[in-house]
Amino acid sequence: MGDIAKDLFSGTVGGAAQLICGHPFDTIKVKLQSQPAPLPGQPPKYAGAMDAVKQTIAAEGPRGLYKGMGAPLATVAAFNALLFTVRGQMEALLRSQPGAPLTVNQQIICGAGAGVAVSFLACPTELIKCRLQAQSALAGSGQVGVAVKYGGPVDVAKRVLRSEGGLRGLFKGLVPTMAREVPGNAAMFGVYELVKQYMAGGQDTSQLGRGAVLLAGGLSGACFWFSVYPTDVVKSVIQVDDYKSPKFSGSIDAFKKILKSEGVKGLYKGFAPAMARSVPANAACFLAYEVTRSSLG
């Protein structure tokens, strides 16, 4: 089996582990991000992350925490396979000789390049996911035109293609998606390598145990979200914005309006569940990838 095939398969396994561990946290994150600003004197729909969990389970049962998982589950193989494969190919290009370890700066470059590639897959996938996760919060807000009920991922895709400009509609939010994925993955892979090299005492990290990989993976995931979270908030509100009566004309406009109406804290809605998700989900992803990749030789 060639290196590309090994990265494809290992990335698929890592992505599945990440999705299973992290999707409930992601559901709460998107619900908090997409809830509209309350009217003066009225409380928000969700008082916080735990309140969102309680309301979701009360209204939809535990399955509600996994709403919208169909789209990422269907594409998780392609997404993570592409992420780790592009990173692996960039590693090969940057190595001075086969098998030579890379520096932290070189891993940052690899992560940025992988981020460019996965943006084109992440954008339509996350648009579908965000629409499904956010619809209950938006429907309960009383806004006109947002009470559409989607039957599932395929139904979202059909509606968008039919009534929101065709294929272009599925790539709504591509700019903030890329602005998240490129620096986010650069930070993630850079920190992952930095932590591993620190614990190994040098560039050779091949002898590290699974505990070290879990720690490095968890910290790298936290750094991903810490570095790009406001961009993710902008992406989410753009992707769930009503097509016929949009609130935002673009990413910059969304950023300004959120900042004006909600202050800096509006750019960090859902930050707690995102960070709570990032550590176990990315730890599971990197461990699953490394174990699988090692077993393939």
Side-chain angles (χ1 to χ4, degrees), residues 4 7-12 75-86:
I4 293 178
D7 282 331
L8 284 169
F9 183 73
S10 301
T12 300
T75 57
V76 67
F79 182 89
N80 283 277
L82 181 62
L83 178 70
F84 282 99
T85 300
V86 172

Side-chain angles (χ1 to χ4, degrees), residues 95-110:
R95 282 194 175 100
S96 57
Q97 59 184 29
L102 299 182
T103 66
V104 172
N105 287 337
Q106 287 174 318
Q107 285 290 355
I108 290 173
I109 295 172
C110 293

Side-chain angles (χ1 to χ4, degrees), residues 159-171:
R159 287 174 184 251
V160 171
L161 288 170
R162 183 171 62 245
S163 60
E164 298 188 26
L167 191 62
R168 182 179 177 182
L170 287 175
F171 284 89

Side-chain angles (χ1 to χ4, degrees), residues 52-263:
V53 172
K54 291 176 182 178
Q55 288 195 41
T56 299
I57 293 177
E60 307 171 54
R63 291 179 61 185
L65 295 173
Y66 283 90
K67 179 171 287 187
M69 198 170 94
L73 185 61
T75 57
V76 67
F79 182 89
N80 283 277
L82 181 62
L83 178 70
F84 282 99
T85 300
V86 172
R87 176 223 184 188
Q89 290 305 295
M90 292 194 68
E91 285 179 331
L93 289 173
L94 293 175
R95 282 194 175 100
S96 57
Q97 59 184 29
L102 299 182
T103 66
V104 172
N105 287 337
Q106 287 174 318
Q107 285 290 355
I108 290 173
I109 295 172
C110 293
V116 173
V118 299
S119 295
F120 293 95
L121 184 58
C123 185
T125 301
E126 294 205 5
L127 182 140
I128 293 171
K129 173 177 69 69
C130 286
R131 294 282 179 95
L132 289 170
Q133 290 174 327
Q135 67 176 348
S136 60
L138 292 171
S141 69
Q143 294 186 40
V144 177
V146 296
V148 175
K149 293 293 184 181
Y150 298 111
V154 175
D155 186 41
V156 177
K158 287 181 178 179
R159 287 174 184 251
V160 171
L161 288 170
R162 183 171 62 245
S163 60
E164 298 188 26
L167 191 62
R168 182 179 177 182
L170 287 175
F171 284 89
K172 183 179 183 180
L174 178 61
V175 171
T177 299
M178 192 167 289
R180 181 194 71 182
E181 292 296 328
V182 175
N185 279 293
M188 183 175 72
F189 284 109
V191 169
Y192 180 66
E193 189 65 25
L194 178 66
V195 174
K196 286 201 306 176
Q197 289 188 15
Y198 175 79
M199 290 188 290
Q203 286 189 318
D204 183 6
T205 61
S206 60
Q207 300 304 312
L208 288 176
R210 294 182 180 183
V213 172
L214 282 170
L215 178 61
L219 289 175
S220 67
C223 286
F224 179 104
W225 287 110
F226 187 80
S227 63
V228 298
Y229 195 80
T231 307
D232 185 65
V233 173
V234 171
K235 177 199 74 69
S236 292
V237 299
I238 289 290
Q239 290 187 322
V240 301
D241 198 17
D242 186 54
Y243 179 73
K244 294 181 179 178
S245 303
K247 292 171 58 180
F248 311 109
S249 61
S251 300
I252 301 299
D253 183 51
F255 178 85
K256 290 180 178 178
K257 286 182 176 178
I258 292 171
L259 202 59
K260 182 178 180 180
S261 63
E262 303 176 59

